[in-house]
mmCIF file of all heavy atoms in Angstrom:
data_model
loop_
_atom_site.group_PDB
_atom_site.id
_atom_site.type_symbol
_atom_site.label_atom_id
_atom_site.label_comp_id
_atom_site.label_asym_id
_atom_site.label_seq_id
_atom_site.Cartn_x
_atom_site.Cartn_y
_atom_site.Cartn_z
ATOM 1 N N ARG A 141 7.194 -37.799 1.324
ATOM 2 C CA ARG A 141 5.891 -38.387 1.059
ATOM 3 C C ARG A 141 5.678 -38.519 -0.438
ATOM 4 O O ARG A 141 5.698 -37.514 -1.148
ATOM 5 C CB ARG A 141 4.778 -37.554 1.673
ATOM 6 C CG ARG A 141 4.901 -37.427 3.182
ATOM 7 C CD ARG A 141 3.726 -36.687 3.760
ATOM 8 N NE ARG A 141 3.802 -36.609 5.214
ATOM 9 C CZ ARG A 141 2.858 -36.106 5.986
ATOM 10 N NH1 ARG A 141 1.766 -35.627 5.448
ATOM 11 N NH2 ARG A 141 3.005 -36.068 7.287
ATOM 12 N N PRO A 142 5.445 -39.707 -0.942
ATOM 13 C CA PRO A 142 5.243 -39.880 -2.392
ATOM 14 C C PRO A 142 3.954 -39.211 -2.844
ATOM 15 O O PRO A 142 2.879 -39.512 -2.305
ATOM 16 C CB PRO A 142 5.173 -41.406 -2.552
ATOM 17 C CG PRO A 142 5.727 -41.969 -1.298
ATOM 18 C CD PRO A 142 5.451 -40.977 -0.225
ATOM 19 N N PRO A 143 4.004 -38.339 -3.810
ATOM 20 C CA PRO A 143 2.781 -37.663 -4.268
ATOM 21 C C PRO A 143 1.721 -38.614 -4.786
ATOM 22 O O PRO A 143 0.533 -38.359 -4.638
ATOM 23 C CB PRO A 143 3.294 -36.724 -5.373
ATOM 24 C CG PRO A 143 4.738 -36.534 -5.080
ATOM 25 C CD PRO A 143 5.213 -37.818 -4.473
ATOM 26 N N ASP A 144 2.143 -39.749 -5.381
ATOM 27 C CA ASP A 144 1.159 -40.681 -5.916
ATOM 28 C C ASP A 144 0.379 -41.400 -4.825
ATOM 29 O O ASP A 144 -0.632 -42.042 -5.106
ATOM 30 C CB ASP A 144 1.847 -41.717 -6.811
ATOM 31 C CG ASP A 144 2.213 -41.128 -8.165
ATOM 32 O OD1 ASP A 144 1.902 -39.936 -8.374
ATOM 33 O OD2 ASP A 144 2.821 -41.834 -8.979
ATOM 34 N N PHE A 145 0.822 -41.299 -3.593
ATOM 35 C CA PHE A 145 0.129 -41.933 -2.482
ATOM 36 C C PHE A 145 -0.639 -40.918 -1.641
ATOM 37 O O PHE A 145 -1.106 -41.252 -0.560
ATOM 38 C CB PHE A 145 1.117 -42.705 -1.605
ATOM 39 C CG PHE A 145 1.614 -43.977 -2.226
ATOM 40 C CD1 PHE A 145 2.701 -43.963 -3.080
ATOM 41 C CD2 PHE A 145 0.982 -45.186 -1.985
ATOM 42 C CE1 PHE A 145 3.161 -45.127 -3.662
ATOM 43 C CE2 PHE A 145 1.428 -46.345 -2.560
ATOM 44 C CZ PHE A 145 2.525 -46.330 -3.419
ATOM 45 N N GLU A 146 -0.754 -39.690 -2.142
ATOM 46 C CA GLU A 146 -1.549 -38.700 -1.425
ATOM 47 C C GLU A 146 -3.032 -39.029 -1.591
ATOM 48 O O GLU A 146 -3.510 -39.308 -2.681
ATOM 49 C CB GLU A 146 -1.267 -37.298 -1.940
ATOM 50 C CG GLU A 146 -2.079 -36.237 -1.210
ATOM 51 C CD GLU A 146 -1.844 -34.848 -1.757
ATOM 52 O OE1 GLU A 146 -1.102 -34.711 -2.750
ATOM 53 O OE2 GLU A 146 -2.405 -33.898 -1.189
ATOM 54 N N VAL A 147 -3.755 -38.997 -0.505
ATOM 55 C CA VAL A 147 -5.181 -39.333 -0.494
ATOM 56 C C VAL A 147 -5.976 -38.059 -0.745
ATOM 57 O O VAL A 147 -5.919 -37.112 0.044
ATOM 58 C CB VAL A 147 -5.595 -39.974 0.843
ATOM 59 C CG1 VAL A 147 -7.095 -40.252 0.850
ATOM 60 C CG2 VAL A 147 -4.799 -41.242 1.085
ATOM 61 N N VAL A 148 -6.692 -38.028 -1.856
ATOM 62 C CA VAL A 148 -7.535 -36.898 -2.222
ATOM 63 C C VAL A 148 -8.873 -37.446 -2.695
ATOM 64 O O VAL A 148 -9.041 -38.653 -2.880
ATOM 65 C CB VAL A 148 -6.891 -36.027 -3.319
ATOM 66 C CG1 VAL A 148 -5.606 -35.381 -2.830
ATOM 67 C CG2 VAL A 148 -6.631 -36.837 -4.580
ATOM 68 N N PHE A 149 -9.820 -36.562 -2.890
ATOM 69 C CA PHE A 149 -11.114 -36.982 -3.417
ATOM 70 C C PHE A 149 -11.004 -37.192 -4.929
ATOM 71 O O PHE A 149 -10.491 -36.342 -5.648
ATOM 72 C CB PHE A 149 -12.172 -35.922 -3.146
ATOM 73 C CG PHE A 149 -12.651 -35.870 -1.720
ATOM 74 C CD1 PHE A 149 -12.970 -34.668 -1.139
ATOM 75 C CD2 PHE A 149 -12.791 -37.031 -0.986
ATOM 76 C CE1 PHE A 149 -13.408 -34.613 0.167
ATOM 77 C CE2 PHE A 149 -13.235 -36.999 0.318
ATOM 78 C CZ PHE A 149 -13.539 -35.786 0.903
ATOM 79 N N ALA A 150 -11.498 -38.323 -5.380
ATOM 80 C CA ALA A 150 -11.578 -38.568 -6.814
ATOM 81 C C ALA A 150 -12.823 -37.893 -7.377
ATOM 82 O O ALA A 150 -13.673 -37.398 -6.647
ATOM 83 C CB ALA A 150 -11.618 -40.071 -7.079
ATOM 84 N N VAL A 151 -12.909 -37.865 -8.685
ATOM 85 C CA VAL A 151 -14.092 -37.300 -9.328
ATOM 86 C C VAL A 151 -15.302 -38.172 -8.984
ATOM 87 O O VAL A 151 -15.238 -39.405 -9.066
ATOM 88 C CB VAL A 151 -13.891 -37.223 -10.856
ATOM 89 C CG1 VAL A 151 -15.136 -36.670 -11.519
ATOM 90 C CG2 VAL A 151 -12.676 -36.366 -11.179
ATOM 91 N N ASN A 152 -16.381 -37.529 -8.562
ATOM 92 C CA ASN A 152 -17.604 -38.230 -8.153
ATOM 93 C C ASN A 152 -17.358 -39.190 -6.991
ATOM 94 O O ASN A 152 -18.045 -40.218 -6.871
ATOM 95 C CB ASN A 152 -18.212 -38.990 -9.343
ATOM 96 C CG ASN A 152 -18.631 -38.062 -10.466
ATOM 97 O OD1 ASN A 152 -19.092 -36.946 -10.225
ATOM 98 N ND2 ASN A 152 -18.461 -38.517 -11.691
ATOM 99 N N ASP A 153 -16.400 -38.866 -6.155
ATOM 100 C CA ASP A 153 -16.113 -39.689 -4.983
ATOM 101 C C ASP A 153 -17.312 -39.653 -4.037
ATOM 102 O O ASP A 153 -17.742 -38.579 -3.608
ATOM 103 C CB ASP A 153 -14.864 -39.146 -4.278
ATOM 104 C CG ASP A 153 -14.322 -40.124 -3.251
ATOM 105 O OD1 ASP A 153 -15.117 -40.902 -2.691
ATOM 106 O OD2 ASP A 153 -13.100 -40.110 -3.008
ATOM 107 N N PRO A 154 -17.883 -40.811 -3.676
ATOM 108 C CA PRO A 154 -19.045 -40.795 -2.781
ATOM 109 C C PRO A 154 -18.719 -40.305 -1.379
ATOM 110 O O PRO A 154 -19.627 -39.935 -0.632
ATOM 111 C CB PRO A 154 -19.501 -42.264 -2.765
ATOM 112 C CG PRO A 154 -18.289 -43.046 -3.168
ATOM 113 C CD PRO A 154 -17.538 -42.171 -4.117
ATOM 114 N N GLU A 155 -17.449 -40.310 -0.990
ATOM 115 C CA GLU A 155 -17.073 -39.806 0.326
ATOM 116 C C GLU A 155 -17.005 -38.284 0.359
ATOM 117 O O GLU A 155 -16.951 -37.709 1.447
ATOM 118 C CB GLU A 155 -15.734 -40.398 0.759
ATOM 119 C CG GLU A 155 -15.772 -41.891 1.001
ATOM 120 C CD GLU A 155 -14.503 -42.387 1.658
ATOM 121 O OE1 GLU A 155 -14.054 -41.749 2.618
ATOM 122 O OE2 GLU A 155 -13.952 -43.398 1.200
ATOM 123 N N ASN A 156 -16.980 -37.659 -0.794
ATOM 124 C CA ASN A 156 -16.997 -36.204 -0.852
ATOM 125 C C ASN A 156 -18.398 -35.712 -0.474
ATOM 126 O O ASN A 156 -19.390 -36.083 -1.115
ATOM 127 C CB ASN A 156 -16.648 -35.736 -2.264
ATOM 128 C CG ASN A 156 -16.463 -34.235 -2.349
ATOM 129 O OD1 ASN A 156 -16.894 -33.489 -1.462
ATOM 130 N ND2 ASN A 156 -15.835 -33.778 -3.414
ATOM 131 N N PRO A 157 -18.524 -34.886 0.563
ATOM 132 C CA PRO A 157 -19.872 -34.438 0.979
ATOM 133 C C PRO A 157 -20.665 -33.760 -0.118
ATOM 134 O O PRO A 157 -21.892 -33.806 -0.113
ATOM 135 C CB PRO A 157 -19.571 -33.474 2.132
ATOM 136 C CG PRO A 157 -18.258 -33.914 2.669
ATOM 137 C CD PRO A 157 -17.486 -34.390 1.473
ATOM 138 N N LYS A 158 -19.982 -33.138 -1.071
ATOM 139 C CA LYS A 158 -20.703 -32.483 -2.159
ATOM 140 C C LYS A 158 -21.308 -33.486 -3.128
ATOM 141 O O LYS A 158 -22.128 -33.111 -3.966
ATOM 142 C CB LYS A 158 -19.759 -31.530 -2.899
ATOM 143 C CG LYS A 158 -19.256 -30.375 -2.041
ATOM 144 C CD LYS A 158 -18.397 -29.422 -2.849
ATOM 145 C CE LYS A 158 -17.803 -28.337 -1.962
ATOM 146 N NZ LYS A 158 -18.827 -27.497 -1.338
ATOM 147 N N ASN A 159 -20.899 -34.747 -3.038
ATOM 148 C CA ASN A 159 -21.450 -35.792 -3.905
ATOM 149 C C ASN A 159 -22.464 -36.679 -3.190
ATOM 150 O O ASN A 159 -22.902 -37.686 -3.753
ATOM 151 C CB ASN A 159 -20.309 -36.671 -4.450
ATOM 152 C CG ASN A 159 -19.367 -35.901 -5.348
ATOM 153 O OD1 ASN A 159 -19.769 -34.961 -6.024
ATOM 154 N ND2 ASN A 159 -18.106 -36.281 -5.356
ATOM 155 N N TRP A 160 -22.821 -36.334 -1.971
ATOM 156 C CA TRP A 160 -23.844 -37.118 -1.273
ATOM 157 C C TRP A 160 -25.181 -37.018 -2.003
ATOM 158 O O TRP A 160 -25.415 -36.067 -2.756
ATOM 159 C CB TRP A 160 -24.007 -36.608 0.159
ATOM 160 C CG TRP A 160 -22.854 -36.928 1.053
ATOM 161 C CD1 TRP A 160 -21.792 -37.752 0.782
ATOM 162 C CD2 TRP A 160 -22.634 -36.421 2.371
ATOM 163 N NE1 TRP A 160 -20.936 -37.784 1.848
ATOM 164 C CE2 TRP A 160 -21.414 -36.981 2.844
ATOM 165 C CE3 TRP A 160 -23.332 -35.552 3.206
ATOM 166 C CZ2 TRP A 160 -20.913 -36.691 4.098
ATOM 167 C CZ3 TRP A 160 -22.833 -35.270 4.460
ATOM 168 C CH2 TRP A 160 -21.628 -35.842 4.901
ATOM 169 N N PRO A 161 -26.086 -37.967 -1.770
ATOM 170 C CA PRO A 161 -27.425 -37.875 -2.393
ATOM 171 C C PRO A 161 -28.120 -36.580 -2.002
ATOM 172 O O PRO A 161 -27.932 -36.049 -0.902
ATOM 173 C CB PRO A 161 -28.150 -39.095 -1.827
ATOM 174 C CG PRO A 161 -27.073 -40.055 -1.457
ATOM 175 C CD PRO A 161 -25.917 -39.222 -1.007
ATOM 176 N N LEU A 162 -28.941 -36.091 -2.899
ATOM 177 C CA LEU A 162 -29.604 -34.809 -2.679
ATOM 178 C C LEU A 162 -30.464 -34.838 -1.427
ATOM 179 O O LEU A 162 -30.477 -33.883 -0.636
ATOM 180 C CB LEU A 162 -30.439 -34.452 -3.907
ATOM 181 C CG LEU A 162 -31.243 -33.148 -3.811
ATOM 182 C CD1 LEU A 162 -30.319 -31.955 -3.610
ATOM 183 C CD2 LEU A 162 -32.083 -32.953 -5.068
ATOM 184 N N TRP A 163 -31.194 -35.947 -1.221
ATOM 185 C CA TRP A 163 -32.086 -36.012 -0.067
ATOM 186 C C TRP A 163 -31.297 -35.946 1.235
ATOM 187 O O TRP A 163 -31.762 -35.337 2.213
ATOM 188 C CB TRP A 163 -32.924 -37.283 -0.114
ATOM 189 C CG TRP A 163 -32.143 -38.556 0.144
ATOM 190 C CD1 TRP A 163 -31.571 -39.372 -0.780
ATOM 191 C CD2 TRP A 163 -31.852 -39.132 1.422
ATOM 192 N NE1 TRP A 163 -30.926 -40.429 -0.187
ATOM 193 C CE2 TRP A 163 -31.092 -40.320 1.181
ATOM 194 C CE3 TRP A 163 -32.143 -38.787 2.735
ATOM 195 C CZ2 TRP A 163 -30.628 -41.136 2.201
ATOM 196 C CZ3 TRP A 163 -31.676 -39.603 3.768
ATOM 197 C CH2 TRP A 163 -30.937 -40.758 3.505
ATOM 198 N N TYR A 164 -30.096 -36.550 1.252
ATOM 199 C CA TYR A 164 -29.308 -36.552 2.482
ATOM 200 C C TYR A 164 -28.701 -35.179 2.752
ATOM 201 O O TYR A 164 -28.607 -34.752 3.909
ATOM 202 C CB TYR A 164 -28.204 -37.608 2.388
ATOM 203 C CG TYR A 164 -27.477 -37.831 3.695
ATOM 204 C CD1 TYR A 164 -28.080 -38.503 4.745
ATOM 205 C CD2 TYR A 164 -26.179 -37.354 3.875
ATOM 206 C CE1 TYR A 164 -27.418 -38.699 5.946
ATOM 207 C CE2 TYR A 164 -25.508 -37.541 5.070
ATOM 208 C CZ TYR A 164 -26.138 -38.222 6.107
ATOM 209 O OH TYR A 164 -25.468 -38.406 7.299
ATOM 210 N N ARG A 165 -28.325 -34.490 1.706
ATOM 211 C CA ARG A 165 -27.810 -33.124 1.903
ATOM 212 C C ARG A 165 -28.928 -32.192 2.365
ATOM 213 O O ARG A 165 -28.690 -31.307 3.199
ATOM 214 C CB ARG A 165 -27.180 -32.619 0.603
ATOM 215 C CG ARG A 165 -25.792 -33.201 0.337
ATOM 216 C CD ARG A 165 -25.179 -32.633 -0.919
ATOM 217 N NE ARG A 165 -25.824 -33.154 -2.107
ATOM 218 C CZ ARG A 165 -25.754 -32.600 -3.301
ATOM 219 N NH1 ARG A 165 -25.102 -31.459 -3.459
ATOM 220 N NH2 ARG A 165 -26.347 -33.144 -4.346
ATOM 221 N N CYS A 166 -30.142 -32.384 1.843
ATOM 222 C CA CYS A 166 -31.273 -31.574 2.322
ATOM 223 C C CYS A 166 -31.555 -31.877 3.798
ATOM 224 O O CYS A 166 -31.862 -30.959 4.579
ATOM 225 C CB CYS A 166 -32.507 -31.852 1.472
ATOM 226 S SG CYS A 166 -32.394 -31.263 -0.232
ATOM 227 N N TRP A 167 -31.460 -33.146 4.163
ATOM 228 C CA TRP A 167 -31.655 -33.502 5.564
ATOM 229 C C TRP A 167 -30.576 -32.875 6.452
ATOM 230 O O TRP A 167 -30.849 -32.432 7.564
ATOM 231 C CB TRP A 167 -31.659 -35.016 5.710
ATOM 232 C CG TRP A 167 -31.590 -35.482 7.136
ATOM 233 C CD1 TRP A 167 -30.535 -36.035 7.777
ATOM 234 C CD2 TRP A 167 -32.649 -35.400 8.107
ATOM 235 N NE1 TRP A 167 -30.838 -36.317 9.075
ATOM 236 C CE2 TRP A 167 -32.145 -35.938 9.316
ATOM 237 C CE3 TRP A 167 -33.960 -34.933 8.076
ATOM 238 C CZ2 TRP A 167 -32.902 -36.020 10.474
ATOM 239 C CZ3 TRP A 167 -34.720 -35.007 9.238
ATOM 240 C CH2 TRP A 167 -34.195 -35.542 10.415
ATOM 241 N N THR A 168 -29.352 -32.829 5.958
ATOM 242 C CA THR A 168 -28.260 -32.202 6.713
ATOM 243 C C THR A 168 -28.534 -30.725 6.941
ATOM 244 O O THR A 168 -28.327 -30.196 8.046
ATOM 245 C CB THR A 168 -26.932 -32.382 5.957
ATOM 246 O OG1 THR A 168 -26.672 -33.777 5.748
ATOM 247 C CG2 THR A 168 -25.779 -31.772 6.731
#
Side-chain angles (χ1 to χ4, degrees):
R141 300 184 178 185
D144 284 359
F145 287 86
E146 180 182 4
V147 178
V148 296
F149 285 144
V151 179
N152 298 324
D153 193 331
E155 294 190 46
N156 187 343
K158 296 183 185 298
N159 295 329
W160 289 351
L162 178 61
W163 70 267
Y164 189 73
R165 283 182 288 161
C166 292
W167 169 253
T168 302

